mmCIF file with all atom_site columns, all heavy atoms in Angstrom:
data_model
loop_
_atom_site.group_PDB
_atom_site.id
_atom_site.type_symbol
_atom_site.label_atom_id
_atom_site.label_alt_id
_atom_site.label_comp_id
_atom_site.label_asym_id
_atom_site.label_entity_id
_atom_site.label_seq_id
_atom_site.pdbx_PDB_ins_code
_atom_site.Cartn_x
_atom_site.Cartn_y
_atom_site.Cartn_z
_atom_site.occupancy
_atom_site.B_iso_or_equiv
_atom_site.pdbx_formal_charge
_atom_site.auth_seq_id
_atom_site.auth_comp_id
_atom_site.auth_asym_id
_atom_site.auth_atom_id
_atom_site.pdbx_PDB_model_num
ATOM 1  N N   . SER A 1 11 ? -6.481 24.723 4.544  1.00 0.00 ? 192 SER A N   1
ATOM 2  C CA  . SER A 1 11 ? -7.622 25.705 4.484  1.00 0.00 ? 192 SER A CA  1
ATOM 3  C C   . SER A 1 11 ? -7.916 26.304 3.224  1.00 0.00 ? 192 SER A C   1
ATOM 4  O O   . SER A 1 11 ? -9.071 26.835 2.949  1.00 0.00 ? 192 SER A O   1
ATOM 5  C CB  . SER A 1 11 ? -7.319 26.682 5.684  1.00 0.00 ? 192 SER A CB  1
ATOM 6  O OG  . SER A 1 11 ? -7.240 26.087 6.734  1.00 0.00 ? 192 SER A OG  1
ATOM 7  N N   . PHE A 1 12 ? -6.909 26.338 2.301  1.00 0.00 ? 193 PHE A N   1
ATOM 8  C CA  . PHE A 1 12 ? -7.053 27.049 0.921  1.00 0.00 ? 193 PHE A CA  1
ATOM 9  C C   . PHE A 1 12 ? -5.944 26.616 0.149  1.00 0.00 ? 193 PHE A C   1
ATOM 10 O O   . PHE A 1 12 ? -4.938 26.249 0.651  1.00 0.00 ? 193 PHE A O   1
ATOM 11 C CB  . PHE A 1 12 ? -7.211 28.579 1.041  1.00 0.00 ? 193 PHE A CB  1
ATOM 12 C CG  . PHE A 1 12 ? -5.997 29.197 1.691  1.00 0.00 ? 193 PHE A CG  1
ATOM 13 C CD1 . PHE A 1 12 ? -4.887 29.617 0.997  1.00 0.00 ? 193 PHE A CD1 1
ATOM 14 C CD2 . PHE A 1 12 ? -6.059 29.394 3.129  1.00 0.00 ? 193 PHE A CD2 1
ATOM 15 C CE1 . PHE A 1 12 ? -3.715 30.154 1.745  1.00 0.00 ? 193 PHE A CE1 1
ATOM 16 C CE2 . PHE A 1 12 ? -4.920 29.884 3.793  1.00 0.00 ? 193 PHE A CE2 1
ATOM 17 C CZ  . PHE A 1 12 ? -3.780 30.234 2.936  1.00 0.00 ? 193 PHE A CZ  1
ATOM 18 N N   . PRO A 1 13 ? -6.032 26.549 -1.245 1.00 0.00 ? 194 PRO A N   1
ATOM 19 C CA  . PRO A 1 13 ? -4.876 26.241 -2.068 1.00 0.00 ? 194 PRO A CA  1
ATOM 20 C C   . PRO A 1 13 ? -3.776 27.187 -1.874 1.00 0.00 ? 194 PRO A C   1
ATOM 21 O O   . PRO A 1 13 ? -4.062 28.496 -1.738 1.00 0.00 ? 194 PRO A O   1
ATOM 22 C CB  . PRO A 1 13 ? -5.434 26.330 -3.462 1.00 0.00 ? 194 PRO A CB  1
ATOM 23 C CG  . PRO A 1 13 ? -6.838 26.242 -3.290 1.00 0.00 ? 194 PRO A CG  1
ATOM 24 C CD  . PRO A 1 13 ? -7.290 26.904 -2.154 1.00 0.00 ? 194 PRO A CD  1
ATOM 25 N N   . GLY A 1 14 ? -2.532 26.776 -1.781 1.00 0.00 ? 195 GLY A N   1
ATOM 26 C CA  . GLY A 1 14 ? -1.365 27.601 -1.643 1.00 0.00 ? 195 GLY A CA  1
ATOM 27 C C   . GLY A 1 14 ? -0.782 27.779 -3.048 1.00 0.00 ? 195 GLY A C   1
ATOM 28 O O   . GLY A 1 14 ? -1.097 27.154 -3.968 1.00 0.00 ? 195 GLY A O   1
ATOM 29 N N   . PRO A 1 15 ? 0.408  28.701 -3.106 1.00 0.00 ? 196 PRO A N   1
ATOM 30 C CA  . PRO A 1 15 ? 1.008  28.815 -4.351 1.00 0.00 ? 196 PRO A CA  1
ATOM 31 C C   . PRO A 1 15 ? 1.773  27.604 -4.891 1.00 0.00 ? 196 PRO A C   1
ATOM 32 O O   . PRO A 1 15 ? 2.044  27.533 -6.147 1.00 0.00 ? 196 PRO A O   1
ATOM 33 C CB  . PRO A 1 15 ? 2.001  29.956 -3.971 1.00 0.00 ? 196 PRO A CB  1
ATOM 34 C CG  . PRO A 1 15 ? 2.221  29.866 -2.513 1.00 0.00 ? 196 PRO A CG  1
ATOM 35 C CD  . PRO A 1 15 ? 0.905  29.405 -1.947 1.00 0.00 ? 196 PRO A CD  1
ATOM 36 N N   . GLU A 1 16 ? 2.053  26.569 -4.054 1.00 0.00 ? 197 GLU A N   1
ATOM 37 C CA  . GLU A 1 16 ? 2.733  25.463 -4.399 1.00 0.00 ? 197 GLU A CA  1
ATOM 38 C C   . GLU A 1 16 ? 1.959  24.147 -4.412 1.00 0.00 ? 197 GLU A C   1
ATOM 39 O O   . GLU A 1 16 ? 2.386  23.120 -4.774 1.00 0.00 ? 197 GLU A O   1
ATOM 40 C CB  . GLU A 1 16 ? 3.970  25.231 -3.469 1.00 0.00 ? 197 GLU A CB  1
ATOM 41 C CG  . GLU A 1 16 ? 4.895  26.436 -3.380 1.00 0.00 ? 197 GLU A CG  1
ATOM 42 C CD  . GLU A 1 16 ? 5.533  26.784 -4.742 1.00 0.00 ? 197 GLU A CD  1
ATOM 43 O OE1 . GLU A 1 16 ? 5.724  25.853 -5.609 1.00 0.00 ? 197 GLU A OE1 1
ATOM 44 O OE2 . GLU A 1 16 ? 5.974  27.909 -4.912 1.00 0.00 ? 197 GLU A OE2 1
ATOM 45 N N   . SER A 1 17 ? 0.658  24.189 -3.878 1.00 0.00 ? 198 SER A N   1
ATOM 46 C CA  . SER A 1 17 ? -0.118 23.011 -3.748 1.00 0.00 ? 198 SER A CA  1
ATOM 47 C C   . SER A 1 17 ? -1.652 23.293 -3.686 1.00 0.00 ? 198 SER A C   1
ATOM 48 O O   . SER A 1 17 ? -2.157 24.333 -3.211 1.00 0.00 ? 198 SER A O   1
ATOM 49 C CB  . SER A 1 17 ? 0.277  22.489 -2.398 1.00 0.00 ? 198 SER A CB  1
ATOM 50 O OG  . SER A 1 17 ? -0.471 21.185 -2.192 1.00 0.00 ? 198 SER A OG  1
ATOM 51 N N   . ALA A 1 18 ? -2.375 22.368 -4.336 1.00 0.00 ? 199 ALA A N   1
ATOM 52 C CA  . ALA A 1 18 ? -3.939 22.266 -4.011 1.00 0.00 ? 199 ALA A CA  1
ATOM 53 C C   . ALA A 1 18 ? -4.136 22.052 -2.608 1.00 0.00 ? 199 ALA A C   1
ATOM 54 O O   . ALA A 1 18 ? -3.196 21.712 -1.750 1.00 0.00 ? 199 ALA A O   1
ATOM 55 C CB  . ALA A 1 18 ? -4.501 21.244 -5.006 1.00 0.00 ? 199 ALA A CB  1
ATOM 56 N N   . ALA A 1 19 ? -5.407 22.184 -2.262 1.00 0.00 ? 200 ALA A N   1
ATOM 57 C CA  . ALA A 1 19 ? -5.815 21.764 -1.028 1.00 0.00 ? 200 ALA A CA  1
ATOM 58 C C   . ALA A 1 19 ? -5.958 20.276 -0.736 1.00 0.00 ? 200 ALA A C   1
ATOM 59 O O   . ALA A 1 19 ? -5.638 19.434 -1.652 1.00 0.00 ? 200 ALA A O   1
ATOM 60 C CB  . ALA A 1 19 ? -7.143 22.444 -0.639 1.00 0.00 ? 200 ALA A CB  1
ATOM 61 N N   . SER A 1 20 ? -6.525 19.735 0.375  1.00 0.00 ? 201 SER A N   1
ATOM 62 C CA  . SER A 1 20 ? -6.248 18.471 0.748  1.00 0.00 ? 201 SER A CA  1
ATOM 63 C C   . SER A 1 20 ? -6.761 17.444 -0.175 1.00 0.00 ? 201 SER A C   1
ATOM 64 O O   . SER A 1 20 ? -7.942 17.389 -0.658 1.00 0.00 ? 201 SER A O   1
ATOM 65 C CB  . SER A 1 20 ? -6.924 18.273 2.108  1.00 0.00 ? 201 SER A CB  1
ATOM 66 O OG  . SER A 1 20 ? -6.361 18.918 3.063  1.00 0.00 ? 201 SER A OG  1
ATOM 67 N N   . SER A 1 21 ? -5.939 16.386 -0.577 1.00 0.00 ? 202 SER A N   1
ATOM 68 C CA  . SER A 1 21 ? -6.252 15.195 -1.327 1.00 0.00 ? 202 SER A CA  1
ATOM 69 C C   . SER A 1 21 ? -5.229 14.280 -1.257 1.00 0.00 ? 202 SER A C   1
ATOM 70 O O   . SER A 1 21 ? -4.012 14.596 -1.566 1.00 0.00 ? 202 SER A O   1
ATOM 71 C CB  . SER A 1 21 ? -6.590 15.489 -2.868 1.00 0.00 ? 202 SER A CB  1
ATOM 72 O OG  . SER A 1 21 ? -7.305 14.433 -3.370 1.00 0.00 ? 202 SER A OG  1
ATOM 73 N N   . TYR A 1 22 ? -5.497 12.977 -1.101 1.00 0.00 ? 203 TYR A N   1
ATOM 74 C CA  . TYR A 1 22 ? -4.460 11.898 -0.942 1.00 0.00 ? 203 TYR A CA  1
ATOM 75 C C   . TYR A 1 22 ? -4.938 10.517 -1.655 1.00 0.00 ? 203 TYR A C   1
ATOM 76 O O   . TYR A 1 22 ? -5.998 10.206 -1.451 1.00 0.00 ? 203 TYR A O   1
ATOM 77 C CB  . TYR A 1 22 ? -4.017 11.627 0.488  1.00 0.00 ? 203 TYR A CB  1
ATOM 78 C CG  . TYR A 1 22 ? -3.991 12.876 1.220  1.00 0.00 ? 203 TYR A CG  1
ATOM 79 C CD1 . TYR A 1 22 ? -4.969 13.633 1.816  1.00 0.00 ? 203 TYR A CD1 1
ATOM 80 C CD2 . TYR A 1 22 ? -2.695 13.549 1.355  1.00 0.00 ? 203 TYR A CD2 1
ATOM 81 C CE1 . TYR A 1 22 ? -4.779 14.807 2.553  1.00 0.00 ? 203 TYR A CE1 1
ATOM 82 C CE2 . TYR A 1 22 ? -2.459 14.605 1.918  1.00 0.00 ? 203 TYR A CE2 1
ATOM 83 C CZ  . TYR A 1 22 ? -3.553 15.298 2.640  1.00 0.00 ? 203 TYR A CZ  1
ATOM 84 O OH  . TYR A 1 22 ? -3.309 16.577 3.232  1.00 0.00 ? 203 TYR A OH  1
ATOM 85 N N   . LEU A 1 23 ? -4.060 10.115 -2.570 1.00 0.00 ? 204 LEU A N   1
ATOM 86 C CA  . LEU A 1 23 ? -4.322 8.899  -3.305 1.00 0.00 ? 204 LEU A CA  1
ATOM 87 C C   . LEU A 1 23 ? -3.683 7.781  -2.691 1.00 0.00 ? 204 LEU A C   1
ATOM 88 O O   . LEU A 1 23 ? -2.435 7.637  -2.523 1.00 0.00 ? 204 LEU A O   1
ATOM 89 C CB  . LEU A 1 23 ? -3.861 9.118  -4.748 1.00 0.00 ? 204 LEU A CB  1
ATOM 90 C CG  . LEU A 1 23 ? -4.059 7.967  -5.576 1.00 0.00 ? 204 LEU A CG  1
ATOM 91 C CD1 . LEU A 1 23 ? -5.594 7.587  -5.858 1.00 0.00 ? 204 LEU A CD1 1
ATOM 92 C CD2 . LEU A 1 23 ? -3.318 8.291  -7.091 1.00 0.00 ? 204 LEU A CD2 1
ATOM 93 N N   . VAL A 1 24 ? -4.591 6.696  -2.235 1.00 0.00 ? 205 VAL A N   1
ATOM 94 C CA  . VAL A 1 24 ? -4.014 5.575  -1.646 1.00 0.00 ? 205 VAL A CA  1
ATOM 95 C C   . VAL A 1 24 ? -4.270 4.452  -2.547 1.00 0.00 ? 205 VAL A C   1
ATOM 96 O O   . VAL A 1 24 ? -5.326 4.222  -3.034 1.00 0.00 ? 205 VAL A O   1
ATOM 97 C CB  . VAL A 1 24 ? -4.765 5.247  -0.185 1.00 0.00 ? 205 VAL A CB  1
ATOM 98 C CG1 . VAL A 1 24 ? -4.100 4.083  0.381  1.00 0.00 ? 205 VAL A CG1 1
ATOM 99 C CG2 . VAL A 1 24 ? -4.771 6.433  0.617  1.00 0.00 ? 205 VAL A CG2 1
#
Side-chain angles (χ1 to χ4, degrees):
S192 301
F193 54 91
E197 306 297 334
S198 177
S201 293
S202 189
Y203 309 91
L204 177 65
V205 187

